[in-house]
Amino acid sequence: MSEVDFLNSKRVLVVGAGNTGKSIIDYLRNNGSSFEIYDEQIEEVDGFQVSSQLNGKYDFAVISPGWRKTHPVIARLSESGTKLISEIDLAWLIKEKLSPNQIWVGVTGTNGKTTTIQMLESIISKSDLKGIACGNVGFTVIDAVTNSEKFDVLAIELSSFQIEWSDLPRFAAAAILNISDDHIDWHGSFDSYANAKIKLLTQSEVAILNLSDPEIALRTSALNMRKVYYGLDVPQPGELGLVEEVLVDRAFVSSPNSAEVIAELMDIKPAVPHNVSNALAAAGIARVLGISHPVITKGLQDFKLDHHRLELVKTQNGIDWVNDSKATNPHAASAALSSYLSVIWIAGGLAKGAKMVDLVHRNFSRIKVAILIGEDRELIASELKKQAPHVELIYLDKTGSSEEFMESIIIRAKEIATEGDTVLLAPACASMDQFKSYSHRGELFAAAVAKLV
């Protein structure tokens, strides 16, 4: 009997009835397991009743991402002797049973995870391997493992929540793109957040690491494993980097003096610095998988950025309107701001405990006007007042629907934008105080621009 089949004879609790919880429920139901569901906000899912109370003692609890280990319910389950297992750990056990030869690779970071994992998926699609992007994007990992199509490779985007909860998976390669303030409210401190990211490497054979990120360099220096660094400078032997207008591999080559072309800058769209960096990380993982350089080139050429990530919505009268609603933290917003020279910046929302000092310090010279919205907008405003008092601040409050609010933002931006400006939605914050999600926020931005510009 496999370890995952052992669940059939035990009392199992699914904690969390969101998208990941549904995938867990589907697997347990199809596997003939007996289970109950706990959630504090959802009352029913897929015909199953959801309880907001614990009913006795459980043998196993499968935890969806986002539940803090210090949550009272998690603490009670742990104290009662319930074995806690994460969604990622359960997916690994299922994989060991159904597809033991399947290879897992992972990507994490404060910013750029989705772009990098989708670049990697594009590369894999041009190769002889069958692979899919999953995890914190697209399919849940459980759905990918149990899919009727058997994949050779799972390219998994991993949040800090998923990593902190998981111990069982083993990755052929894992990339850490960057580490900066995010989800401090969940982890309790920046140190705990950063350590969750680094933990992924303890479960990996090869580390693909951003050479220009000081936190990564500091926190990985003592790790005894193969580390491949990448950056936007000329690469040293064993690194990936940039030589003039060419992305170059000096890590996965026949000798230290050798080099291979990964792609040209013109192959990366848009060829802004952080996107080129993401391409190097994806290429590094692809090389671990044995994918050739020409195939990597083709995969990068055919890749298009996801919606809500530096998405050019419209150009009118010399003014670009750009949707980067997925910039839900300062690091992501900084990458967006650094891509333009004169910005009407729409920012604000829920900061999740993040600080705005570095974001403003690095980019204030690019900001012409800041249109500030949302609950934590004063965090941004106070830094702009200190570091860039010349920047005009406009405060807009939500009074009607989300649609009406976004239209009021676009009307105000249209009044002040002139030729050569970029109106950029890169909020540096989460959206839930004013919108349903970052995608809802971005969709309303695009719709308002189409209607009013």
Side-chain angles (χ1 to χ4, degrees), residues 104-226:
W104 285 17
V105 292
V107 172
T108 195
T110 304
N111 184 39
K113 298 185 293 295
T114 300
T115 298
T116 303
I117 213 72
Q118 290 176 337
M119 281 180 168
L120 179 58
E121 183 182 46
S122 179
I123 293 167
I124 293 171
S125 73
K126 307 303 177 187
S127 75
D128 295 331
L129 298 169
K130 284 187 177 181
I132 191 170
C134 59
N136 210 34
V137 60
F139 283 108
T140 65
V141 184
I142 288 177
D143 285 346
V145 169
T146 57
N147 195 285
S148 57
E149 184 173 0
K150 298 303 178 186
F151 298 109
D152 303 312
V153 179
L154 296 191
I156 306 174
E157 179 189 329
L158 292 157
S159 69
S160 56
F161 310 151
Q162 290 168 309
I163 299 168
E164 182 160 318
W165 267 113
S166 302
D167 299 301
L168 298 181
R170 291 295 175 264
F171 298 88
I176 302 184
L177 309 179
N178 38 66
I179 303 175
S180 61
D181 279 0
D182 199 15
H183 299 302
I184 308 305
D185 53 348
W186 195 94
H187 289 277
S189 68
F190 174 73
D191 198 51
S192 295
Y193 168 70
N195 288 340
K197 295 291 191 186
I198 299 300
K199 177 176 177 279
L200 178 61
L201 301 184
T202 67
Q203 299 168 234
S204 307
E205 294 178 25
V206 181
I208 311 294
L209 304 171
N210 187 346
L211 185 62
S212 64
D213 191 290
E215 285 294 337
I216 293 175
L218 175 66
R219 293 172 185 272
T220 61
S221 60
L223 285 179
N224 184 22
M225 63 184 304
R226 185 182 181 191

Side-chain angles (χ1 to χ4, degrees), residues 11-12 46 48 55 57 63 73 89 91 101 130 196 216-217 225 239 247 260 264 287 322 338 416 418 428 442 448:
R11 191 174 184 212
V12 179
D46 291 345
F48 291 95
N55 301 309
K57 190 176 184 305
I63 315 295
V73 167
D89 281 353
N101 295 322
K130 284 187 177 181
I216 293 175
M225 63 184 304
E239 297 177 354
L247 283 68
E260 292 282 351
E264 296 184 22
R287 291 299 294 136
V322 177
S338 69
I416 56 180
T418 58

Side-chain angles (χ1 to χ4, degrees), residues 181-182 184 190 330-331 351 353-359 379 383:
D181 279 0
D182 199 15
I184 308 305
F190 174 73
H331 191 277
K355 298 185 174 84
M356 303 294 168
V357 179
D358 290 343
L359 165 63
L379 293 175
E383 288 303 327

Side-chain angles (χ1 to χ4, degrees), residues 311-326:
E311 183 178 13
L312 179 60
V313 173
K314 190 165 191 173
T315 299
Q316 183 82 11
N317 299 328
I319 302 165
D320 289 339
W321 296 78
V322 177
N323 168 22
D324 201 59
S325 184
K326 199 170 183 184

Side-chain angles (χ1 to χ4, degrees), residues 67-101:
W67 289 76
R68 295 184 183 90
K69 289 187 174 181
T70 56
H71 190 286
V73 167
I74 304 299
R76 282 174 57 192
L77 288 168
S78 183
E79 289 165 3
S80 69
T82 301
K83 182 175 180 179
L84 307 181
I85 183 172
S86 73
E87 156 247 355
I88 299 291
D89 281 353
L90 177 59
W92 179 261
L93 293 176
I94 298 168
K95 170 259 178 194
E96 290 287 82
K97 175 188 175 183
L98 299 180
S99 305
N101 295 322

Side-chain angles (χ1 to χ4, degrees), residues 266-307:
M266 61 186 291
D267 297 325
I268 314 301
K269 304 178 192 69
V272 294
H274 66 279
N275 211 36
V276 176
S277 182
N278 293 337
L280 288 167
I285 297 177
R287 291 299 294 136
V288 173
L289 293 172
I291 299 175
S292 68
H293 295 96
V295 172
I296 293 172
T297 304
K298 181 62 175 170
L300 292 174
Q301 287 172 337
D302 289 355
F303 173 76
K304 293 181 180 178
L305 275 178
D306 206 356
H307 289 309

